[in-house]
Amino acid sequence: SQTIHQWPATLVQPVGSPLSLECTVEGTSNPNLYWYRQAAGRGLQLLFYSVGIGQISSEVPQNLSASRPQDRQFILSSKKLLLSDSGFYLCAWSLGLAVDTQYFGPGTRLTVL
Amino acid sequence: GQQVMQIPQYQHVQEGEDFTTYCNSSTTLSNIQWYKQRPGGHPVFLIQLVKSGEVKKQKRLTFQFGEAKKNSSLHITATQTTDVGTYFCANAAGNKLTFGGGTRVLVKP
């Protein structure tokens, strides 16, 4: 069966510090991968998605970037965090079908102080 | 995916009562998916609807896709405290899901 991991679970970072969040998927090959951000009590904002290694599509211009160095690894990064980067970051995967279901990881709760 | 709007944004329900949350689009949708996110948790897939007028049931949850495929509803009967959470509808298209803003459900015991 497929599983998706995210770490860390929680993170507190100062403004201006770098960020690296990691997501890995097990039990499937060539998944589509997604990064979402959710502000407290709000909806899901798609940040990046990837249909293959090295292929990244950005949905919202910001100071975040994403990379997919391996088939089942998706990394979200920032060189300098802003206060507005605080939120709940969710990674998800799907099979890449025409009508696709997404499966979410447990999330990383980021607080920027 | 097509933009989808959800109403209401918040739903306070007395335990044991029924309620319905709605998902609407100005354009025809090829599909609708519903997800549930428990407080502090991550979204979990519930159901997918693709046919006009389709109705699917999961225990006390009834999902419906409108005849014109422009709206969908989730009806919960005899609400329980385990129903607490945020329910999202979403439309899948072009490798992406476009989520509605969600209906946050609070249950009063």
Side-chain angles (χ1 to χ4, degrees), chain A residues 32 34 36 38 44 46 49 51 59 88 90 99-102 104-105 109, chain B residues 31 33 35 37 40-43 45 48 88 92 95-97 99 101 104:
Chain A
N32 284 1
Y34 304 84
Y36 291 88
Q38 187 175 37
L44 297 161
L46 179 62
Y49 71 95
V51 299
E59 291 296 296
F88 191 39
L90 290 156
V99 180
D100 227 351
T101 298
Q102 290 188 10
F104 287 81
R109 201 164 299 278
Chain B
N31 63 86
Q33 299 181 15
Y35 292 76
Q37 183 177 23
H42 58 277
F45 172 76
Q48 178 172 277
F88 293 98
N95 288 310
K96 297 185 292 185
L97 281 180
F99 284 88
R104 192 170 178 182

Side-chain angles (χ1 to χ4, degrees), chain A residues 65-85:
Chain A
S65 62
S67 62
R68 184 170 179 175
Q70 300 180 41
D71 180 44
R72 289 170 287 179
Q73 184 184 30
F74 206 22
I75 297 172
L76 183 69
S77 304
S78 174
K79 293 181 179 178
K80 289 186 178 182
L81 284 169
L82 305 173
L83 286 174
S84 57
D85 291 324

